Amino acid sequence: MILFGASISAGIAIQYFLEKNEKIEYICDTYKSGIDISGIKVFNIKKLKHEDKTKQIVICNSGWETVAENLKDMGFNNLFVFRVQSNIPYMSAKKFKVIGEETDISKKLVKMYLDCYKKELDAVSEESALIRLDSNYSNSNMYKQEEGYFEIWYEKYNNIIDIKNYKYDKSYKLTIQKYFGAGAVRKPFYVVYNSGSSDCLVSSVRRNYPMYLEARLLLDILSYQETEKVLIDLGANIGIVSMIFAAEGYKVFAAEAGKENAIMLSMAANINNYSIMVTNQAVWNYTGTLYFKENGVSGKVVKDGGGEKTNCVKCFALDDWKKVKEWHNLKKVSLIKMDIEGSEINAIAGAEKFLKEFSYPPVYCESNKCTLFEKGYKVKDLFDIFSKNGYVPYILHENGLMEVDIEELQPKTVQDYLFVHNKERLLIKKMYGKMQKEEIRKLLLNEIKTMPIEYVNMTLESLKDFSEYCNDDEIKGYIK
């Protein structure tokens, strides 16, 4: 059989079928690949295109109905749904066969799963497990809707971001959830998100899926900074990274262009009693306005305002940070995190004075070939603008920082880099040499074999500038 969905349910399903001595060939997932769960390899959904259509597929996913319909469209009919989690309360046995339901073994496995996280759950103190309440709102009514308008539950925080009379759909609801990330975060915290969102980030929070594991490495690498620590979070979204660092004692100054996200981050900062100053603006190479399309984790700057959910928003250049009222107390910067969907080059272009003023702090930056291409850039352009300001790119490795040659190919479509200024390099203890060509080749082949087609196409497009990889016998076959 094949399992579909590299989620928590898959881990429980593996144990369930092992108890029954049933063989699992592999796990398929829409987004994840190249990993394994309990020794079972995870492949991208593309692998199913060439699979025997009579194979039994067991769906381990709370969104099982959509997955099942997609699999039926691909020609698979021998479909099952693995149900042990309470987040799938009703199941139509008429449409699909159901296994694992209300059995002694499934109850036992759920208990095993919950017990394995008991340590993390116990680490949440009684005090931090309580939502801080003010007289202006109650636990049972964290928000109210009146004539289609969302009114913030505590008017005092209106000076953070202009929320009053901001129009929402009447179905708009919020969820407040404790996130402990299956042990990925050292100090759990509350997250606020749109209950109806299908955003991949929200889905991960909802399932307490481990995210931003690299944050621990960053915190360790930056431990040499002994004085007050400050994070600049550009493209903060609903604030997972902001809160991971705030929980560790960092002051956070966040910028988020999406109004919904900025509202939810502001609320979460208050609930957790964290020092997070949020400005609802985009970061660009000038101060003024631009068009921004809200799309959850993928919100981005666009050329014009004609599209759905596209608004004219305020923007600022980091060089003009003193004009941002929410940031007026900014006195130092320990780290800049930048994930702004292809706008990274524009942001750095407007930050040369800012970087110098704050002694060239490290910058943790996403490099996404697809979003850079949409803005007319390549990865090399990103490397060049950082290099112009004296920065060297590194990849986070469990043994430390691995230096990257700026003339080399970025093998993955999406890669996060820690850019460290030349003057800071000697202060960072955990260095792990340079990335070698064989490592690049392995990552490149894995990207081509396992990632979604749009990523593969972009990777193959980027190979045009790197003839040595185009001439590799194994890679050559995929180019054709």
Side-chain angles (χ1 to χ4, degrees):
M1 82 178 67
I2 300 164
L3 301 187
F4 191 98
S7 65
I8 290 167
S9 296
I12 302 173
I14 290 168
Q15 298 304 316
Y16 175 85
F17 290 118
L18 285 176
E19 290 269 349
K20 298 183 70 176
N21 294 316
E22 294 193 35
K23 184 182 176 183
I24 300 168
E25 293 182 46
Y26 58 87
I27 303 168
C28 243
D29 193 88
T30 307
Y31 301 106
K32 304 185 192 79
S33 62
I35 61 173
D36 68 83
I37 298 175
S38 299
I40 308 294
K41 196 78 174 174
V42 179
F43 293 93
N44 185 267
I45 191 173
K46 290 189 297 181
K47 186 174 176 65
L48 292 179
K49 289 182 180 178
H50 310 290
E51 191 58 82
D52 178 358
K53 298 300 185 282
T54 64
K55 282 280 179 73
Q56 181 188 50
I57 300 181
V58 178
I59 303 167
C60 306
N61 192 301
S62 59
W64 62 274
E65 283 200 2
T66 302
V67 172
E69 293 300 337
N70 290 338
L71 290 173
K72 285 178 73 177
D73 289 343
M74 292 174 71
F76 293 95
N77 288 299
N78 194 13
L79 303 177
F80 290 75
V81 178
F82 185 76
R83 179 193 176 193
V84 292
Q85 288 183 295
S86 60
N87 63 350
I88 313 176
Y90 302 107
M91 192 72 62
S92 173
K94 293 178 182 177
K95 289 179 70 176
F96 300 100
K97 304 165 191 175
V98 180
I99 59 178
E101 183 174 10
E102 300 304 325
T103 63
D104 290 338
I105 192 167
S106 69
K107 291 174 184 176
K108 176 185 172 185
L109 289 167
V110 172
K111 185 178 184 303
M112 283 170 52
Y113 164 69
L114 293 175
D115 286 348
C116 78
Y117 293 116
K118 191 173 187 303
K119 184 177 178 182
E120 284 81 7
L121 289 167
D122 287 346
V124 182
S125 68
E126 184 178 346
E127 181 182 353
S128 64
L130 296 173
I131 296 178
R132 191 162 54 87
L133 299 178
D134 293 300
S135 58
N136 296 59
Y137 68 99
S138 69
N139 192 29
S140 61
N141 186 23
M142 300 303 286
Y143 60 89
K144 66 176 181 176
Q145 292 168 296
E146 189 174 319
E147 296 178 356
Y149 286 84
F150 177 88
E151 294 185 2
I152 195 60
W153 38 259
Y154 199 13
E155 192 172 338
K156 172 182 173 183
Y157 292 92
N158 199 42
N159 64 341
I160 296 178
I161 163 176
D162 183 17
I163 298 167
K164 255 189 168 181
N165 294 331
Y166 182 61
K167 191 169 186 178
Y168 282 94
D169 183 89
K170 288 186 179 182
S171 63
Y172 186 84
K173 293 182 180 179
L174 298 182
T175 295
I176 297 174
Q177 178 184 324
K178 174 62 70 77
Y179 177 71
F180 60 91
V185 296
R186 288 191 275 217
K187 298 179 180 179
F189 47 80
Y190 283 102
V191 180
V192 180
Y193 58 83
N194 183 340
S195 309
S197 173
S198 58
D199 186 294
C200 62
L201 178 64
V202 169
S203 296
S204 294
V205 172
R206 193 179 282 129
R207 294 181 291 132
N208 256 308
Y209 189 80
M211 296 184 290
Y212 299 109
L213 296 170
E214 65 273 18
R216 283 192 172 189
L217 293 172
L218 277 173
L219 287 163
D220 290 340
I221 287 166
L222 298 173
S223 61
Y224 71 90
Q225 300 176 338
E226 296 177 355
T227 56
E228 180 185 56
K229 297 178 182 181
V230 177
L231 170 71
I232 300 291
D233 190 353
L234 308 178
N237 203 269
I238 59 174
I240 304 297
V241 173
S242 286
M243 288 184 284
I244 287 173
F245 278 81
E248 298 288 339
Y250 276 69
K251 284 188 175 179
V252 180
F253 293 82
E256 171 54 43
K259 195 155 193 175
E260 287 185 12
N261 288 337
I263 289 170
M264 291 183 284
L265 171 52
S266 298
M267 292 174 70
N270 175 48
I271 290 167
N272 289 290
N273 201 20
Y274 287 158
S275 179
I276 303 177
M277 281 57 73
V278 185
T279 184
N280 180 207
Q281 298 188 65
V283 181
W284 200 244
N285 57 7
Y286 64 79
T287 298
T289 59
L290 47 68
Y291 289 108
F292 181 81
K293 181 174 182 177
E294 285 207 44
N295 188 24
V297 73
S298 303
K300 58 188 175 184
V301 172
V302 292
K303 289 182 179 178
D304 57 61
E308 186 182 354
K309 287 191 174 181
T310 301
N311 302 304
C312 183
V313 302
K314 291 180 181 179
C315 65
F316 72 101
L318 285 171
D319 285 345
D320 293 331
W321 72 269
K322 290 179 182 176
K323 297 178 182 178
V324 180
K325 64 178 181 178
E326 296 87 358
W327 287 20
H328 69 279
N329 284 327
L330 180 62
K331 292 177 181 159
K332 67 167 291 186
V333 178
S334 307
L335 173 70
I336 300 171
K337 169 255 173 183
M338 191 182 298
D339 182 358
I340 46 180
E341 302 303 310
S343 300
E344 293 81 8
I345 292 171
N346 299 82
I348 294 299
E352 293 186 7
K353 294 177 184 175
F354 177 87
L355 294 172
K356 184 177 180 181
E357 179 180 355
F358 289 102
S359 303
Y360 298 101
V363 182
Y364 191 61
C365 177
E366 181 186 80
S367 172
N368 184 325
K369 292 179 186 178
C370 296
T371 56
L372 286 171
F373 182 78
E374 287 177 5
K375 299 286 190 300
Y377 297 121
K378 296 181 179 180
V379 173
K380 185 65 167 61
D381 299 317
L382 183 68
F383 285 162
D384 285 346
I385 196 165
F386 271 104
S387 180
K388 175 186 171 185
N389 285 281
Y391 283 86
V392 177
Y394 293 86
I395 291 174
L396 292 179
H397 188 279
E398 60 183 3
N399 294 322
L401 293 178
M402 184 181 290
E403 186 175 341
V404 174
D405 183 347
I406 64 172
E407 301 299 329
E408 260 292 1
L409 168 74
Q410 175 180 299
K412 297 169 70 175
T413 305
V414 181
Q415 178 67 64
D416 293 321
Y417 295 99
L418 181 65
F419 288 92
V420 181
H421 196 267
N422 286 315
K423 72 176 187 60
E424 290 274 310
R425 293 172 76 185
L426 294 176
L427 298 175
I428 296 177
K429 307 296 182 187
K430 295 186 176 182
M431 294 293 185
Y432 187 63
K434 290 189 176 183
M435 177 173 272
Q436 303 300 312
K437 287 188 180 293
E438 184 56 31
E439 178 73 11
I440 293 172
R441 181 181 176 278
K442 286 180 182 177
L443 289 171
L444 179 58
L445 281 168
N446 185 67
E447 187 84 357
I448 294 171
K449 290 177 182 178
T450 64
M451 296 306 287
I453 188 64
E454 61 270 22
Y455 279 26
V456 174
N457 289 341
M458 185 54 65
T459 295
L460 295 177
E461 177 69 25
S462 67
L463 286 178
K464 292 178 180 178
D465 298 326
F466 299 91
S467 58
E468 63 182 293
Y469 297 107
C470 290
N471 295 328
D472 181 282
D473 289 338
E474 191 171 357
I475 295 171
K476 212 187 291 185
Y478 290 99
I479 296 173
K480 292 177 182 178

